[in-house]
Amino acid sequence: MSKNLNAIQIADKVYWVGAIDWGVRNIHGYTTDRGTTYNAYLVMDDKITLFDTVKKEFEDEFLSRIASIVNPEKIDYIISNHSEPDHSEVLPEIIKAVKPEKVFASVMGKKALNAIYHDLNMEITAVKDGEELGLGSKTVKFMETRMLHWPDSMFSYLVEDKVLLTQDAFGMHLASSERFGEELPWGVLKTHVSGYYANIITPYSSHVAKLFEKIDTSGLEVSIVAPDHGPVWRNMDNFRKVLSLYKKWSARKLDEKIVIVYDTMWGSTEKMANHIEDGARSSDVSVEMMPLYSFERSMIALEMLDASAVIVGAPTLNNNIFPSLADVLTYIKGLKFKTPYGAVFGSYGWSGEGNNLLREYLVSIGVEIVDEIKSKYVPDDKVKEECFLLGQAVANKVKEFIKNQ
Amino acid sequence: MNKYVCDVCGYVYDPEIGDPDNGVSPGTTFEDIPDDWICPTCAAGSESFSPAS
Ligand SMILES: Cc1cc2nc3c(=O)[nH]c(=O)nc-3n(C[C@H](O)[C@H](O)[C@H](O)COP(=O)(O)O)c2cc1C
Ligand SMILES: [Fe+2]
Ligand SMILES: [Fe+2]
């Protein structure tokens, strides 16, 4: 067996037995430009217990990692913290092959697993928030975290070792040979933690905020945080940084930053974008330029996470907005960002519906429109000047907002 | 009797159905739901619900 198919110890009798997916580039519409990992954990106590499984194509890799520690048939308990297929697809096969004594999931998890797999051949045991399960020398305490980001999401806490298994929360889509956060540069971790939160957790920010209240009041001590994707947090200095980012994002704290999202057919809308950018920068606000011929929706989401304004531009195409904008705006709407300010712009030739449609979209997601500019074909000097001023106007709103935040 | 939608997960509370699994019998208006009732899907409190349009 090759070396990289071994289990990796993360705590006393606790092992990582997941799989590394170097090649995946799209997970439910989220571009995973550096792949991902599907983490699963094995606890070698009196009751040999497996937490979560992996995607179907990684069954062999997963089983050989388990086999490097113990014959998989010896597994007594399986605990499903999150029923989404990337963590459960191997469950039906494992149940068939291993015949575990029990499979546990949250109340919602039991329902979800039965609705996803109709032939589990096993009654799932539902556990409640706060319930404890003895494994021998170790105790698992369950913590419901519903809608982070599925109705059944649950944390499992290994009481004696202070290990918190957090399913998708605090994770990231990043394939790497390193299993621990401290082995990777902070900048890399931050980018991927941000992308993950922006694209997956944002709509449930109010639940994240409540979860922190609950953790703060319960005085839960944690020395290792083991999510279902990406590295394990063992260095608590790094994890505290992640925690403070989660606190910032869940409280919807924003930065002095504008995102300009646009597409262009013959360059006119792009010229407008460049003058808007100039205007915003002249007011000393940071700007991310995101032309959709090069950026896709998950990168826009990543930058939207802490932006205080979004300026959206598209040319009119067949009486409609450009399709790439429709894609991104639909995606952004679902993620429920709370961006206070925005503006729209675009070039057109004859009917010019683009701006109206963009504006309606932004208004429907609660953005206050600061200004709006249309250019018939190529922007002339007057339009360029208007664009510059629009950039300044939005930047001033942003500065005011940040001052009062 | 008005329906209410959970702002977090989209669950719809229909007073004609109630939430019998969690002790709210059919016919209970949203206003009459117990204070400690939470969304059966995502556990948000009743303050996270808006009237369905
Ligand atoms: C990121 C994400 C968000 C989702 N949001 C919702 C949702 O808001 N409401 C819902 O009913 N289901 C939601 N789902 C669940 C999917 O609709 C469900 O898994 C469905 O079975 C997927 O169908 P498919 O297998 O054809 O992709 C979501 C799934 C994912 C991955
Ligand atoms: Fe997930
Ligand atoms: Fe996942």
Side-chain angles (χ1 to χ4, degrees):
Chain A
M1 193 184 298
S2 67
K3 183 171 175 291
N4 69 349
L5 294 184
N6 284 338
I8 291 170
Q9 188 164 16
I10 67 159
D12 174 45
K13 301 183 198 160
V14 184
Y15 296 85
W16 174 85
V17 290
I20 305 177
D21 191 346
W22 297 94
V24 67
R25 287 294 175 271
N26 182 315
I27 297 180
H28 49 65
Y30 171 9
T31 300
T32 47
D33 58 351
R34 299 302 299 258
T36 194
T37 63
Y38 311 106
N39 299 340
Y41 301 95
L42 186 71
V43 175
M44 292 298 297
D45 209 352
D46 294 350
K47 295 291 181 187
I48 297 177
T49 304
L50 176 67
F51 292 82
D52 285 338
T53 69
V54 299
K55 249 167 68 169
K56 190 88 183 70
E57 10 168 352
F58 293 90
E59 185 171 357
D60 289 349
E61 181 171 338
F62 169 66
L63 286 175
S64 65
R65 284 196 217 276
I66 295 175
S68 74
I69 299 294
V70 69
N71 178 349
E73 286 177 20
K74 300 253 190 259
I75 291 172
D76 299 294
Y77 291 163
I78 301 176
I79 294 171
S80 167
N81 281 328
H82 179 24
S83 70
E84 197 172 4
D86 51 345
H87 312 295
S88 68
E89 261 182 350
V90 173
L91 186 61
E93 277 67 30
I94 292 265
I95 288 176
K96 239 171 259 156
V98 170
K99 299 189 183 60
E101 199 179 311
K102 283 191 164 178
V103 176
F104 300 90
S106 64
V107 175
M108 301 298 272
K110 176 176 173 151
K111 291 185 199 169
L113 287 170
N114 285 317
I116 295 171
Y117 308 103
H118 307 285
D119 54 353
L120 282 175
N121 296 317
M122 172 131 200
E123 184 73 15
I124 308 271
T125 306
V127 292
K128 293 211 169 77
D129 186 48
E131 200 170 318
E132 292 190 355
L133 174 72
L135 306 183
S137 66
K138 295 177 193 289
T139 316
V140 186
K141 189 169 173 152
F142 300 106
M143 187 193 264
E144 264 196 354
T145 55
R146 275 199 242 174
M147 224 58 215
L148 264 189
H149 65 119
W150 277 35
D152 62 77
S153 299
M154 173 170 87
F155 288 1
S156 293
Y157 180 62
L158 302 175
V159 178
E160 291 77 9
D161 304 276
K162 303 187 174 79
V163 176
L164 188 62
L165 304 173
T166 59
Q167 48 95 21
D168 278 355
F170 309 122
M172 66 182 81
H173 285 318
L174 174 67
S176 74
S177 312
E178 293 81 7
R179 283 284 62 72
F180 298 98
E182 72 268 21
E183 297 168 336
L184 289 152
W186 170 246
V188 170
L189 298 171
K190 186 181 175 195
T191 301
H192 290 91
V193 161
S194 308
Y196 199 93
Y197 190 100
N199 283 277
I200 296 178
I201 312 280
T202 309
Y204 312 110
S205 287
S206 63
H207 279 29
V208 177
K210 271 196 208 141
L211 175 69
F212 286 140
E213 273 173 39
K214 187 169 155 184
I215 290 178
D216 285 348
T217 53
S218 71
L220 188 76
E221 279 180 49
V222 179
S223 61
I224 291 176
V225 176
D228 269 358
H229 297 286
V232 171
W233 305 103
R234 185 171 60 174
N235 171 325
M236 282 294 114
D237 285 344
N238 260 346
F239 183 68
R240 269 188 288 276
K241 286 196 245 176
V242 174
L243 209 56
S244 73
L245 287 172
Y246 264 61
K247 287 197 168 168
K248 174 187 169 193
W249 297 324
S250 62
R252 309 280 193 176
K253 287 268 189 300
L254 302 174
D255 292 342
E256 200 172 276
K257 176 174 129 186
I258 299 173
V259 178
I260 302 183
V261 184
Y262 66 92
D263 212 330
T264 195
M265 291 188 265
W266 300 114
S268 291
T269 304
E270 179 149 72
K271 283 199 180 87
M272 299 173 79
N274 290 333
H275 290 279
I276 293 170
E277 182 199 5
D278 260 9
R281 283 196 201 283
S282 76
S283 300
D284 264 345
V285 167
S286 83
V287 182
E288 291 296 331
M289 290 291 271
M290 313 198 82
L292 294 181
Y293 54 78
S294 297
F295 288 87
E296 45 66 59
R297 63 179 96 88
S298 11
M299 298 173 103
I300 310 298
L302 164 60
E303 295 300 340
M304 287 283 295
L305 179 59
D306 50 17
S308 332
V310 59
I311 305 181
V312 180
T316 299
L317 172 73
N318 299 330
N319 308 104
N320 222 315
I321 55 175
F322 206 68
S324 56
L325 269 297
D327 175 300
V328 165
L329 289 169
T330 307
Y331 190 64
I332 297 288
K333 182 171 181 169
L335 291 174
K336 302 192 177 90
F337 292 110
K338 300 253 185 285
T339 316
Y341 296 107
V344 301
F345 65 101
S347 173
Y348 70 105
W350 46 98
S351 55
E353 287 90 342
N355 272 22
N356 284 349
L357 295 165
L358 291 177
R359 175 167 20 82
E360 277 168 25
Y361 233 112
L362 290 189
V363 168
S364 80
I365 59 178
V367 172
E368 182 185 325
I369 305 293
V370 177
D371 202 354
E372 174 169 343
I373 297 174
K374 262 170 133 169
S375 170
K376 190 164 174 91
Y377 290 121
V378 180
D380 60 14
D381 286 347
K382 184 167 163 282
V383 170
K384 288 177 185 167
E385 174 67 13
E386 283 169 10
C387 286
F388 186 89
L389 294 173
L390 178 145
Q392 275 190 334
V394 175
N396 291 338
K397 285 278 190 190
V398 163
K399 291 177 99 156
E400 197 57 32
F401 175 82
I402 295 296
K403 224 193 294 164
N404 300 322
Q405 183 174 240
Chain B
M1 287 193 289
N2 291 332
K3 293 183 184 177
Y4 276 72
V5 185
C6 176
D7 297 336
V8 179
C9 72
Y11 165 86
V12 178
Y13 177 79
D14 182 345
E16 287 182 16
I17 299 169
D19 179 15
D21 285 354
N22 297 295
V24 179
S25 49
T28 310
T29 64
F30 192 76
E31 291 71 21
D32 288 338
I33 278 182
D35 287 346
D36 58 356
W37 180 83
I38 53 171
C39 173
T41 299
C42 79
S46 52
E47 74 285 354
S48 300
F49 280 69
S50 315
S53 49

